[in-house]
Amino acid sequence: MHSNTFSPIHIFKGKKKMKLLVLAILTISLLFPFSLLNFLFCSLLAFSLNYWLIPGGFAWRNHHRFSVNLPGPSGWPLLGTLPQMGPLAHRNLAAIAHSFKATRLMSFSMGATRAIISSHPDTAKQILCGSAFSDRPVKQSAKLMMFERAIGFAPNGVYWRNLRRIAANHMFSPRKISDLEGLRREVADEMVAEVSGNMASEGVVRLREVLQKHSLKNIIESVFGSGMEMGRKGELSDMVREGYELIAMFNWEDYFPISFLDFSGVKRRCNELAGRVNVVIGQIVEERKRVNNEFNNDFLTTLLTLPKEDQLSDSDMVAVLWEMIFRGTDTIAILLEWIMARMILHPDIQAKAQDEIDLCVGGNRHVRDSDIPNLPYLQAIVKEVLRLHPPGPLLSWARLAVHDVHVDKILIPAGTTAMVNMWAIAHDPSIWKDPWTFKPERFIENDMSIMGSDLRLAPFGAGRRACPGRALGLATVHLWLANFLHRFRWIPCSSTKSVNLSECLKLSLEMKKPLNCRVVSR
Ligand code: HEM
């Protein structure tokens, strides 16, 4: 029974789908008897339906003995579930898992890529925190843009472990995060000034533009220090924007193990971009090597002053610095845009947060990092937005099984892509009371860590590949949010209907319509 040869008969004996297959072939045979067309059509149909019938779909064809125990959609012949995923893959996969009663674990196919997805904290923990899923399936565009030499896509091994250690000890340590507070406060002040300026000149705040511009500045200066000339900043900003566009583009080669012609030009553009990144960041590294001030706080100085045994080659340094700018910009801007949309839609919650800030900070000084532990309601707001609008609803980048492993006592073969639908978990009514209601109070009543120890809400992932930038990301979001609420009352442009919560999943889950609003100084 456990043979590798695929025989639909023994898998689907007595099942409805088999009857459907036979019925379809019989019908065609009756309609076009004795013709070549009949023969070809029936063969094609039988071939397609064979794969269509496999639980989990086409990509599980050589592993049906595993997937037979694992509910999941057969999807389309060859394409699997790709056509059903669409631009809101987190919602569609959640609905499919629900319909198959497969929230704990579901098999599916993305073209020839064999995949499982968990929409439950127990199986999510097994996937994220075990050692088996410690690799990532590499997207073609990520590879071409050099991310395989950076933390996010480096294969599990000595090099990746070394990078994680350097990141944890030197780039995202509590001390480094506190060293960067001055920069975060400076950027907060600049954003407040720009918001006031927008209001004075146009009567409207285009918040997305403000957030994108200043998060980029914040991360560029965290990585390279201050004093970079405008032209170079502009160049880095263009490269990041181009990179987002390319990594979000659909690429057949990510799902089929054959090389397609580069019709959309993704590969050509990725190669060109990688060339520019190497030149621009390579030059910055070279210049800094000539005149390095070891007392600077930025990541580049940190990498250049590492002990000899930890030193990275120039090209690896370029890849790591490039990834930092890339990952550190959109996640923070996107999360803050969602938070401010929620603040405008829930003025009572906004006012409650402002009361808390006023009580803690008063009116004569600006908010500081050290105030944040005394602002539990503000922290609860951030958690509630991360629950309802996680920037990585499918945890951004999937994991890959490096060896055969049991999840929920089901054997998953090596090479299977594993995803966690954090959005589905965070909206599950059996886990969360009133999951669709925006209610930060739930975290005051029952607080929980969101750093990866409790899989009911782990927006930064968990386990050995969890987000290394999570503490820095949260410190930034808390400080900027507190500043925004301290200085302004945030109101909609016309009615609250002007705030549209529609989503669009690119690399991160963005608001489909950029948030425009108004502010009143406090
Ligand atoms: C609100 C902010 C952020 C969110 C929601 C977020 C979310 C995530 C998620 C879900 C993952 C995948 C985790 C997993 O597979 O278990 C991840 C990985 C990663 N994040 Fe973040 N992130 C944020 C900020 C940042 C920042 C500021 C940086 C760096 C400057 C960063 C750098 C990375 C890197 C390098 C990885 C790959 C880690 C690895 O594969 O070992 N992130 N992030």
Side-chain angles (χ1 to χ4, degrees):
M1 199 61 176
H2 278 188
S3 104
N4 251 340
T5 346
F6 173 57
S7 156
I9 307 287
H10 76 240
I11 297 176
F12 299 103
K13 215 186 287 177
K15 294 234 169 121
K16 267 190 194 156
K17 279 183 176 174
M18 203 61 226
K19 287 184 196 156
L20 192 67
L21 169 68
V22 175
L23 197 72
I25 294 175
L26 275 177
T27 316
I28 300 293
S29 306
L30 288 173
L31 286 177
F32 308 100
F34 312 120
S35 69
L36 180 65
L37 181 74
N38 175 9
F39 173 75
L40 287 176
F41 189 83
C42 289
S43 311
L44 186 68
L45 195 72
F47 173 82
S48 308
L49 286 178
N50 254 0
Y51 291 136
W52 179 54
L53 294 169
I54 306 170
F58 172 72
W60 286 89
R61 66 197 177 284
N62 296 327
H63 295 86
H64 57 88
R65 72 173 197 273
F66 297 93
S67 76
V68 77
N69 298 319
L70 206 53
S74 312
W76 290 57
L78 296 173
L79 297 176
T81 308
L82 278 177
Q84 285 124 291
M85 287 167 68
L88 295 177
H90 54 299
R91 286 177 183 259
N92 295 335
L93 287 171
I96 298 173
H98 197 256
S99 71
F100 276 83
K101 296 191 174 45
T103 47
R104 285 188 75 85
L105 206 58
M106 178 175 87
S107 58
F108 67 111
S109 295
M110 294 181 287
T113 301
R114 195 173 61 247
I116 53 168
I117 186 161
S118 150
S119 310
H120 192 281
D122 291 352
T123 41
K125 191 168 191 118
Q126 293 173 46
I127 291 172
L128 297 177
C129 300
S131 59
F133 294 96
S134 50
D135 255 350
R136 293 199 194 277
V138 185
K139 271 176 83 79
Q140 171 83 222
S141 48
K143 192 174 179 171
L144 295 174
M145 283 194 270
M146 304 181 303
F147 291 134
E148 235 184 348
R149 292 305 289 172
I151 304 175
F153 282 104
N156 177 33
V158 176
Y159 178 68
W160 169 77
R161 274 198 299 278
N162 204 24
L163 288 184
R164 285 286 311 203
R165 189 175 47 76
I166 292 171
N169 294 343
H170 303 282
M171 294 156 102
F172 301 111
S173 65
R175 172 144 180 229
K176 174 60 73 183
I177 294 174
S178 126
D179 284 350
L180 291 169
E181 179 181 353
L183 172 63
R184 283 194 292 280
R185 281 167 60 179
E186 184 188 313
V187 176
D189 288 344
E190 284 173 16
M191 280 197 286
V192 166
E194 190 159 329
V195 166
S196 295
N198 272 194
M199 261 320 273
S201 60
E202 300 174 51
V204 59
V205 180
R206 271 180 255 288
L207 194 61
R208 181 173 293 182
E209 282 170 30
V210 177
L211 290 170
Q212 279 180 345
K213 184 168 132 199
H214 289 87
S215 329
L216 189 70
K217 174 194 155 129
N218 180 58
I219 197 74
I220 287 181
E221 295 200 4
S222 307
V223 172
F224 297 119
S226 57
M228 182 180 283
E229 64 204 52
M230 287 309 284
R232 223 174 223 176
K233 271 190 192 159
E235 225 166 338
L236 285 171
S237 151
D238 290 348
M239 290 181 335
V240 170
R241 246 177 273 285
E242 167 100 1
Y244 284 148
E245 198 188 313
L246 290 173
I247 214 155
M249 276 170 86
F250 182 85
N251 189 353
W252 288 103
E253 282 176 42
D254 293 337
Y255 306 105
F256 292 96
I258 39 174
S259 194
F260 285 85
L261 288 175
D262 188 24
F263 288 121
S264 55
V266 187
K267 281 200 261 182
R268 178 186 45 78
R269 286 175 61 196
C270 285
N271 281 323
E272 279 169 15
L273 179 61
R276 276 166 67 203
V277 169
N278 267 316
V279 169
V280 175
I281 301 188
Q283 269 172 5
I284 301 175
V285 172
E286 271 309 306
E287 284 164 21
R288 186 65 73 78
K289 271 183 168 174
R290 286 199 291 272
V291 272
N292 193 27
N293 177 353
E294 60 183 279
F295 297 108
N296 283 345
N297 280 331
D298 53 82
F299 290 170
L300 175 52
T301 305
T302 308
L303 292 183
L304 287 173
T305 49
L306 285 174
K308 209 165 174 36
E309 62 278 12
D310 285 342
Q311 288 276 324
L312 300 179
S313 73
D314 282 6
S315 60
D316 290 344
M317 214 182 305
V318 167
V320 171
L321 296 169
W322 165 230
E323 177 184 62
M324 288 300 140
I325 307 177
F326 198 82
R327 290 296 302 170
T329 307
D330 77 321
T331 40
I332 289 172
I334 286 169
L335 178 56
L336 263 163
E337 194 179 8
W338 281 114
I339 297 175
M340 297 321 292
R342 282 296 182 175
M343 291 298 91
I344 294 163
L345 285 173
H346 307 276
D348 48 333
I349 293 176
Q350 182 184 158
K352 205 167 156 184
Q354 280 157 338
D355 288 348
E356 184 185 64
I357 298 168
D358 291 347
L359 202 67
C360 170
V361 180
N364 298 326
R365 67 169 176 88
H366 294 168
V367 188
R368 295 191 283 256
D369 271 3
S370 55
D371 294 315
I372 304 300
N374 302 322
L375 300 173
Y377 194 66
L378 181 110
Q379 293 183 48
I381 289 174
V382 174
K383 287 182 181 174
E384 183 66 342
V385 175
L386 281 166
R387 185 183 72 78
L388 280 173
H389 313 286
L394 297 168
L395 294 190
S396 316
W397 290 324
R399 303 285 190 91
L400 189 73
V402 288
H403 53 72
D404 289 0
V405 56
H406 282 93
V407 179
D408 240 13
K409 299 195 179 135
I410 298 170
L411 192 59
I412 305 298
T416 304
T417 290
M419 289 158 94
V420 168
N421 194 337
M422 192 42 70
W423 180 91
I425 297 175
H427 285 77
D428 184 338
S430 67
I431 300 172
W432 298 93
K433 193 164 173 257
D434 303 329
W436 297 93
T437 311
F438 183 71
K439 205 167 88 180
E441 284 73 12
R442 67 175 87 236
F443 293 103
I444 301 291
E445 288 151 19
N446 288 306
D447 197 14
M448 62 186 282
S449 164
I450 56 164
M451 300 307 240
S453 53
D454 189 332
L455 271 291
R456 286 174 301 162
L457 184 59
F460 300 100
R464 53 175 73 188
R465 285 210 95 122
C467 175
R470 55 199 189 274
L472 178 66
L474 274 182
T476 312
V477 169
H478 285 144
L479 190 74
W480 289 356
L481 172 62
N483 267 283
F484 280 170
L485 295 177
H486 194 210
R487 313 275 188 97
F488 304 112
R489 188 160 60 83
W490 295 77
I491 50 180
C493 279
S494 45
S495 68
T496 46
K497 288 207 180 92
S498 63
V499 179
N500 185 336
L501 292 182
S502 304
E503 306 166 333
C504 176
L505 181 58
K506 295 185 183 165
L507 175 59
S508 303
L509 185 67
E510 302 177 8
M511 286 179 75
K512 196 169 174 188
K513 297 261 181 300
L515 179 64
N516 292 339
C517 59
R518 291 157 56 80
V519 295
V520 178
S521 287
R522 298 183 69 237

